[in-house]
Every structure is written in C-alpha cells, then in structure tokens.
Amino acid sequence: MRTILVVGGGYAGFYTAWGLEKRLRRGEARVIVVDPRPYMTYQPFLPEVVAGSVEARHAAVSLRRHLRTTELVNGSVTKIDHEHRTVVVRPAVGGEFPIPYDVLVVTAGAVTRKLAIPGVAEHAIGMKHVEEAVAIRDRLLTAFDQAAVLPVSERRRLLSFTFVGGGFSGVEGFGELMSLAHSLVRKYPALSAGELEFHLVEARDRILPEVTGEPGRWVVRHLRERGGTVHLNAQLRSAVDGHVVLSTGEEWDSELIVWTAGNGANPMVHNHTDLPIDARGQVTVRADLRIGTAEAPVPDAWAAGDDAAVPDLAINQPGVATVPNAQHAVRQGRLLAKNIVAVLRGREPQPYVHHSLGTVATLGLGRGIFQWHRIVIKGFPAWVMHRGYHVLAVPTWERKVRVAAVWATALFFGRDIVSLASVQNPRRAFETGGDTTAVSPGERV
C-alpha cells in the first residue's frame, strides 16, 4: 500500500484524514497523521471556553475517537525531506525517528506570532489552544477571589485585564471575558463593576478587519458602552512585570495580558523543508492544492490550511491567496481528500473555489455581529446565528450534542464560576500537607 502522511491534525489535517478514511478502498493506501496533540482544537469555541459557556473538552475533537483507521503518531515533525520521501518526527518522550511516505500532505497550521516586546514572553498568554483559554478564565476567577478580600486601594491591578490584537480572536475573547466578569461581579458584594478595567489594544485604526468600516466602528462603540477601553492606533511597547506601556504614552498594571496579535507560518515549514516557500513563509500551492506552481507541480505533495498560500479563485485578483481562517481550512481539507483519491485512481484533481459565507462573531453572552456582503445583523440575533452556525460546523454529532447540552443547561443554572487554577500545580497540596501558608496566592482557588 501507498503511505499518505499528513503533517498536522488541525482543521485541514483532520478533515483530510477523515475524508480519506471515507473514500479510500480497503488496502488502497494507509494514512498517518503526525501531531503533538491528540485532538483537533475547534478554535471558534475558545472565546466561549474563556467565558465558561463551553466545556474545555468539548472544544477538543479527539483524533483517536474519530479517525478510526488512521495511524496516529504523537509528536512534532521537525524536518521534511520530500526528495527522499521522509519526515523526521520528535516525540514527547524518546529520540527523533524518520517516517517514510509516498504522498505528503502539509497541514501543520500556524503558530502565534510573537514580537520582541519586553515582558511579553514572560507575562502574556496566547489564545490558540484549549489550555490557554482555560488558563485565561481561571486567572480572572482567581483574581476576583483575591481582590474581594483586599482594600479598594490594592485591587486595581487584580481587576485589570488586557487583550493585545483586534482580530477575531482578540475581539471575541475580549467581549466574552468582559461578559463573564460583569456577570460574576454580582456574586462578590465587596466588588463593584466600576472597578473592572478591560483594555483592547490594536495597532491599526480599526478592529475586525474582516468586516467593513461601519460595522467595525459599531463594535468599537458597543465594547466601549459596556465599559471596555479600546485603544486604536496603539502599539504595545512593554509588558515587564505586567506593567503595560503603549506607544500612545498610556500605561497601567494588568493582572492578565492576552496576546492575539496575529499568527505566523509554522517555522518548521519555512525553515526545515525542501518544498517551495513564498516570501511570507507559506508553502506555494496550486489552485488544486498540489504544492508547486501551475507550470511545475511538486509530485506527490499537497498542502492546505494556514501554512498554504492557496490561490483565491473566488475573487478576480491574480496573486491573492485565501485568508487563513477555519472556513477555508475545513473546506480545503475536504477537497484535499477528494483530490488525493482522484489522483491515486488516475483522475484529475479539482481546483479549490469557495465564496465566503460571511463573517460572524460573538461579543459576549447574547451579543454578536454578522455580515454577509451588505447585510449586517447586530446584537442578539447575530449571537444566535453564531451559536447555530458553530454547533452545526463543529465536527461529529457527538461534539454537537455535548455542546448543545451545555448551552441548554446554562439557560437554567448559568455558567460554572469555579476556578481550577490549582490544577497547574496538582502536587502542591500533597507536598504541603494542607499548609495553606505554603501555597502562593496565584495558586489558591
């Protein structure tokens, strides 16, 4: 049998492998997926994980549960040598080892793009993975517990929260966390909503670049009316010891700094492969998702998702690639599986063409925005559309039912407001023997 090796189990990788399982005949080819995580993260749910509206595990789709005939390798690909049809894998435990293949699929996904800003590496947290979303939520809940027993003069830092980056991840996370905080403050008689400080920092003059001007300005006004501070045309200069300094001269102490200022191509893809790479570090891809150019395709090599510069045939502008979002990655993965099977059977692959279904974002419980061309829907109807779309889009019925059940339960009982920050140090209680004086304040629940 031929071996099809998929580098990365994110959106594009998961849907490629899932599609191959459905289309390959018995004995026609074997599929291997290499990824350091045993699950695919459904990233649109991360803001709701932050807010406690979705259980963390429900935003993670188990690879082993749903890829039943695919061989899963838990590790990171550190090098691709396509000339010799081999990748090098670094597992979590043990030494590196090679895996030979016949057909390569690169869906390694993007990584959080960090800038060399003092203090960011030490104090900021991203919002790309489930564990990061859980940590953000726990930090806010723990900060409330700590602030409630302090004098008013000592609370400001603990009740100040900062998001850097005004794209979808930043705006949705900012809106959801602010929604959680304002609902939570009613549970703390010692605290008041006026003590909360939420800052959203964006280097450009607008947020949500995927929506047009006026809807984007409405979102800014909406967030400000709810008590958030939106800093436009402002760059983060320093975050040393949690002290935020902006290019505008504004500064404040922040208990939490969430970094969502964009994604970058996976360093392994543009530094450790012999595949053609463009100026942005993405794999050069044809319209049919084969790696290479229209004149010179690379044999037996395919790519999709955030690391692939896929030509956008839906717009009549040569040289423009599809934007790196979930809507494209899912559909590219589905087509990729069809095209690989077609080529294995001697047929021609089909080009990728997808017209946008519009953009929809949650801004907190009961609040959202949707835009499709000139149609703009705001507020509660857009929020319902957001939930409806994503509960249908999350893969597998098992996940759809679990998420819908949590939402239905929350209608009657509200969100769970217990911080589990102590799980980051699970042996602390055992080591201290119950001596709470040996537990640092940030680890108390």
Side-chain angles (χ1 to χ4, degrees):
M1 288 192 296
R2 305 192 77 187
T3 296
I4 303 171
L5 189 140
V6 181
V7 180
Y11 284 117
F14 174 82
Y15 276 93
T16 299
W18 207 22
L20 287 170
E21 285 193 350
K22 296 174 183 178
R23 290 173 174 80
L24 288 170
R25 304 186 186 110
R26 183 183 297 274
E28 187 172 14
R30 70 168 182 151
V31 181
I32 301 175
V33 172
V34 183
D35 196 279
R37 287 181 169 81
Y39 56 83
M40 183 206 82
T41 302
Y42 190 73
Q43 293 181 2
F45 279 159
L46 293 186
E48 296 209 50
V49 172
V50 166
S53 299
V54 169
E55 289 292 329
R57 284 187 176 88
H58 297 170
V61 180
S62 171
L63 298 181
R64 292 191 182 277
R65 182 185 181 97
H66 301 292
L67 299 180
R68 299 179 180 178
T69 61
T70 297
E71 181 181 342
L72 300 173
V73 177
N74 184 237
S76 301
V77 172
T78 60
K79 183 180 179 180
I80 296 175
D81 183 358
H82 189 63
E83 182 181 358
H84 298 96
R85 302 294 196 275
T86 302
V87 300
V88 177
V89 177
R90 177 185 298 150
V93 178
E96 294 185 345
F97 58 89
I99 298 180
Y101 63 83
D102 298 291
V103 178
L104 175 71
V105 179
V106 180
T107 55
V111 297
T112 300
R113 182 182 61 197
K114 297 188 292 289
L115 304 179
I117 299 173
V120 167
E122 295 79 12
H123 298 283
I125 183 171
M127 205 179 76
K128 192 174 178 61
H129 302 291
V130 172
E131 56 268 31
E132 293 174 323
V134 172
I136 291 168
R137 175 175 175 268
D138 285 346
R139 285 278 293 275
L140 179 135
L141 295 172
T142 301
F144 269 60
D145 288 336
Q146 295 171 353
V149 298
L150 292 176
V152 175
S153 60
E154 299 178 24
R155 296 174 181 170
R156 184 173 182 183
R157 178 191 177 100
L158 284 170
L159 299 178
S160 297
F161 310 96
T162 304
F163 279 69
V164 182
F168 262 87
S169 295
V171 171
E172 289 189 316
F174 182 79
E176 287 286 356
L177 195 67
M178 189 160 55
S179 176
L180 171 63
H182 282 281
S183 67
L184 188 65
V185 77
R186 294 193 291 268
K187 306 290 185 182
Y188 291 81
L191 305 179
S192 67
E195 296 179 83
L196 302 177
E197 292 187 21
F198 279 84
H199 299 269
L200 176 63
V201 181
E202 170 55 47
R204 292 166 293 187
D205 60 355
R206 55 168 298 179
I207 61 175
L208 292 181
E210 293 85 352
V211 303
T212 55
E214 179 51 35
R217 288 188 289 272
W218 177 85
V219 174
V220 172
R221 293 195 300 270
H222 173 77
L223 295 175
R224 286 172 173 168
E225 288 169 1
R226 289 167 53 192
T229 302
V230 181
H231 306 265
L232 299 177
N233 293 310
Q235 298 177 357
L236 180 65
R237 294 301 192 201
S238 175
V240 175
D241 295 329
H243 183 72
V244 175
V245 180
L246 302 185
S247 59
T248 58
E250 298 166 282
E251 54 185 279
W252 62 89
D253 290 324
S254 186
E255 172 66 12
L256 174 67
I257 301 173
V258 182
W259 181 268
T260 63
N263 296 322
N266 192 306
M268 183 279 297
V269 172
H270 61 79
N271 292 332
H272 303 289
T273 75
D274 54 356
L275 302 172
I277 305 296
D278 68 9
R280 294 172 297 177
Q282 295 179 306
V283 181
T284 303
V285 179
R286 296 157 44 105
D288 58 10
L289 305 180
R290 285 186 284 186
I291 294 176
T293 63
E295 300 77 20
V298 177
D300 301 319
W302 306 76
D306 293 351
D307 279 321
V310 180
D312 193 344
L313 301 185
I315 60 176
N316 191 22
Q317 294 183 26
V320 176
T322 57
V323 296
N325 61 22
Q327 197 173 128
H328 282 298
V330 168
R331 287 160 179 81
Q332 288 170 7
R334 289 171 176 165
L335 179 63
L336 194 48
K338 295 178 183 178
N339 281 351
I340 291 173
V341 172
V343 171
L344 288 177
R345 297 173 185 172
R347 301 197 304 267
E348 287 297 314
Q350 299 299 310
Y352 175 75
V353 183
H354 172 64
H355 296 273
S356 174
L357 301 176
T359 55
V360 63
T362 175
L363 302 175
L365 191 63
R367 305 173 179 94
I369 185 167
F370 167 82
Q371 181 176 20
W372 182 70
H373 298 301
R374 295 184 179 181
I375 299 174
V376 178
I377 301 174
K378 306 171 186 174
F380 183 76
W383 175 78
V384 172
M385 294 173 68
H386 176 272
R387 284 202 162 184
Y389 171 79
H390 285 298
V391 79
L392 292 174
V394 67
T396 78
W397 280 102
E398 174 256 344
R399 275 296 177 263
K400 299 179 198 296
V401 171
R402 288 181 185 272
V403 171
V406 171
W407 284 341
T409 304
L411 289 175
F412 299 98
F413 302 107
R415 316 182 222 214
D416 194 338
I417 59 171
V418 176
S419 169
L420 296 178
S422 58
V423 301
Q424 298 174 31
N425 293 281
R427 296 187 66 252
R428 178 71 70 179
F430 176 76
E431 292 172 337
T432 61
D435 181 5
T436 58
T437 62
V439 181
S440 66
E443 295 167 2
R444 292 177 186 159
V445 178

